[in-house]
C-alpha cells in the first residue's frame, strides 16, 4: 500500500495542502479550530505520518539535541546522559547520542552529523585534548553557531559556546587536604593520560596541595582513563613501592586515583596480589559514580552532581538569552571520606603464647 500523502489528508479534510501542512507540521500560522480539527481527524483516519523534516522547517526547530560522550559504559558519562535526557524530555526535546571511545576523529564526525541533522543544540561531554583536532572542531562549530546553533561543553571551556565545568583542580586539592587531615603522609598517585586535561587538573590540584605541606608523592604512575587503566597502573605501583600483604611496620600508603573507575580497577589489581584495602594500601578516587554504593570497601572520593551537570548543560543549550552562548558555570565537588582511606597502623608481629 502506498504511503498516505499530505495531499490525501488535505483532500479528505477539504482544505488546501498548505493549510494541512500548517496544522500538522506545527506552523505558528494555524487556521481556525474547526479547520484544524478536520485536518487532524482526516490524518488519523488515513494513518498519515508527519514528515519530521517538514515539521522542522515549519517550526524552525528539529527538537533534537546532539550529545557526544567519550564512553557510555563509564558510569561518569551515563550519569550525565541521565541528566541530559531528563532535562531534554521536560523541554520536549529528543536526544541523539554518540559515544566516541575517546577517538577525537569520531567526535568531530559526530558533531558534523548532528549539524547536518540540524540539531537545535550540541552538548560535548568530556575532557578536551589539545592539538589540531580541536581546531578542526572549532571551525565546524563556528559555522554551526553562525546558523543559530547552540554548543555547550561539559568540561573545560572551549573558545566557543557555553560551558559547565567541574571544579577538578580545586576539589582534588580539597581531597588532598582532607587526607592529610586524616594523618596520611605517604602518598602515591595513579594519573591519567597527560593529554587529557581533566586527569591533569585533578593530579595537579592534589600534588600541589601536598607540596604546600612539604609532602611529595612516593611515586606517580599513569594509565588509561578507565578501569583497566587503573588496574594496570596499580600493579606497577605495587611493584614500585614493594607492597606486600600484611607487611610489618610502617603505615599503609594512600593512593589517589584521578577517577573512581580507575580506583575500582586498582583495588581489583591489589586484591589479586593479596593486598587489602585499607590495611595494606589506602585509596581515594574522584566522581562518586553510582556504582560505588555497592562497592566494598566504600571508596573515599570527590562527589560531583553528575545528573545535575547534565541538566545544567541542557538549560544552557536551550537558553536564548544573549549571554547564554558564552555562559560559564562551575560544578563544585564535595569530599567524602569513607572506609578505603581509613588510616590504620599496620598490625604488629605477634609471637605465639608459650
Amino acid at each position: 500500500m502506498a504511503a498516505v500523502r499530505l495531499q490525501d489528508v488535505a483532500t479528505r479534510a477539504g482544505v488546501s495542502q498548505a493549510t494541512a501542512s500548517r496544522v500538522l507540521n506545527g506552523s505558528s500560522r494555524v487556521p481556525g479550530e474547526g479547520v484544524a480539527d478536520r485536518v487532524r481527524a482526516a490524518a488519523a483516519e488515513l494513518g498519515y505520518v508527519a514528515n519530521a523534516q517538514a515539521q522542522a522547517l515549519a517550526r524552525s526547530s528539529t527538537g533534537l539535541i546532539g550529545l557526544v560522550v567519550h564512553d557510555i559504559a563509564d558510569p561518569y558519562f551515563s550519569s550525565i546522559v541521565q541528566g541530559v535526557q531528563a532535562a531534554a524530555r521536560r523541554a520536549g526535546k529528543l536526544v541523539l547520542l554518540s559515544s566516541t571511545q575517546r577517538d577525537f576523529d569520531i567526535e568531530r564526525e559526530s558533531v558534523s552529523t548532528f549539524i547536518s541533522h540540524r540539531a537545535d543544540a550540541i552538548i560535548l561531554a568530556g575532557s578536551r585534548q589539545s592539538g589540531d583536532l580541536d581546531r578542526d572542531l572549532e571551525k565546524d562549530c563556528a559555522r554551526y553557531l553562525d546558523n543559530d546553533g547552540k554548543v555547550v561543553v561539559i568540561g573545560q571551556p572551549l573558545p566557543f559556546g557555553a560551558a559547565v565545568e567541574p571544579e577538578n583542580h580545586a576539589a582534588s586539592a580539597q581531597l588532598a587536604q582532607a587526607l592529610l587531615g586524616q594523618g596520611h603522609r605517604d602518598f602515591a598517585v595513579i594519573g591519567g593520560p597527560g593529554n587529557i586535561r581533566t586527569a591533569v587538573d585533578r593530579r595537579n590540584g592534589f600534588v600541589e596541595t601536598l607540596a604546600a605541606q612539604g609532602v611529595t608523592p612516593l611515586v606517580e604512575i599513569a594509565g588509561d582513563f578507565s578501569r583497566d587503566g587503573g588496574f594496570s597502573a596499580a600493579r606497577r605501583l605495587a611493584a614500585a613501592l614493594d607492597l606486600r600483604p600484611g607487611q610489618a611496620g610502617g603505615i599503609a600508603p594512600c593512593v589517589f586515583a584521578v577517577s573512581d573507575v580507575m580506583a575500582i580497577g586498582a583495588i581489583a589489581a591489589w586484591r589479586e596480589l593479596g593486598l587489602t584495602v585499607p590495611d595494606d594500601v589506602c585509596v581515594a578516587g574522584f566522581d562518586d559514580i553510582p556504582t560505588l554504593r555497592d562497592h566494598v570497601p566504600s571508596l573515599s572520593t570527590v562527589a560531583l552532581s553528575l545528573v545535575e551537570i547534565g541538566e545544567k548543560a541542557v538549560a544552557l543549550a536551550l537558553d536564548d538569552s544573549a549571554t547564554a552562548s558564552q555562559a560559564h558555570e562551575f560544578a563544585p565537588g564535595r569530599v567524602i571520606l569513607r572506609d578505603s582511606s581509613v588510616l590504620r597502623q599496620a598490625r604488629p608481629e605477634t609471637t605465639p603464647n608459650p
Side-chain angles (χ1 to χ4, degrees), residues 39-264:
V39 172
R40 294 189 188 102
E45 291 169 7
L46 296 173
Y48 174 74
V49 178
N51 186 310
Q53 293 177 329
Q55 288 183 330
L57 184 62
R59 298 171 181 172
S60 298
S61 168
T62 60
L64 302 175
I65 295 177
L67 173 60
V68 180
V69 301
H70 289 326
D71 182 3
I72 190 60
D74 186 327
Y76 175 90
F77 290 108
S78 60
S79 296
I80 288 174
V81 171
Q82 180 184 346
V84 170
Q85 288 184 323
R89 190 177 300 113
R90 291 194 295 268
K93 304 290 185 179
L94 182 67
V95 177
L96 302 178
L97 176 65
S98 173
S99 182
T100 68
Q101 299 301 313
R102 298 190 181 277
D103 186 319
F104 289 89
D105 285 327
I106 295 177
E107 178 183 59
R108 194 171 68 251
E109 291 170 3
S110 299
V111 168
S112 295
T113 299
F114 292 153
I115 291 173
S116 68
H117 281 81
R118 300 186 181 275
D120 296 338
I122 296 174
I123 298 173
L124 304 174
S127 186
R128 314 314 313 153
Q129 175 174 295
S130 60
D132 293 338
L133 290 178
D134 275 353
R135 288 197 289 273
D136 291 337
L137 181 65
E138 182 176 355
K139 292 177 183 177
D140 290 342
C141 288
R143 288 190 290 268
Y144 174 62
L145 292 168
D146 287 341
N147 286 283
D148 297 325
K150 301 282 187 64
V151 176
V152 179
V153 177
I154 296 176
Q156 295 75 27
L158 292 174
F160 53 87
V164 181
E165 182 177 6
E167 294 186 334
N168 291 310
H169 188 282
S172 60
Q174 294 165 11
L175 176 62
Q177 198 65 52
L179 294 172
L180 286 166
Q182 280 191 307
H184 290 285
R185 288 298 180 271
D186 293 333
F187 290 92
V189 176
I190 294 178
N195 61 346
I196 301 297
R197 186 173 160 186
T198 293
V200 172
D201 282 352
R202 292 178 181 182
R203 177 266 175 200
N204 287 349
F206 191 85
V207 172
E208 289 167 8
T209 300
L210 295 184
Q213 300 297 320
V215 177
T216 301
L218 301 173
V219 64
E220 294 190 49
I221 305 289
D224 290 336
F225 214 20
S226 65
R227 181 267 180 199
D228 290 344
F231 185 95
S232 174
R235 293 185 69 92
R236 287 180 279 137
L237 185 145
L241 295 180
D242 193 24
L243 297 179
R244 301 176 186 175
Q247 56 190 355
I251 295 175
C254 185
V255 178
F256 170 51
V258 296
S259 75
D260 286 344
V261 292
M262 296 187 79
I264 290 172

Side-chain angles (χ1 to χ4, degrees), residues 290-309:
T291 49
L292 293 189
R293 298 168 190 166
D294 301 318
H295 197 271
V296 178
S298 55
L299 184 65
S300 294
T301 189
V302 172
L304 293 175
S305 297
L306 298 172
V307 172
E308 183 179 339
I309 287 173

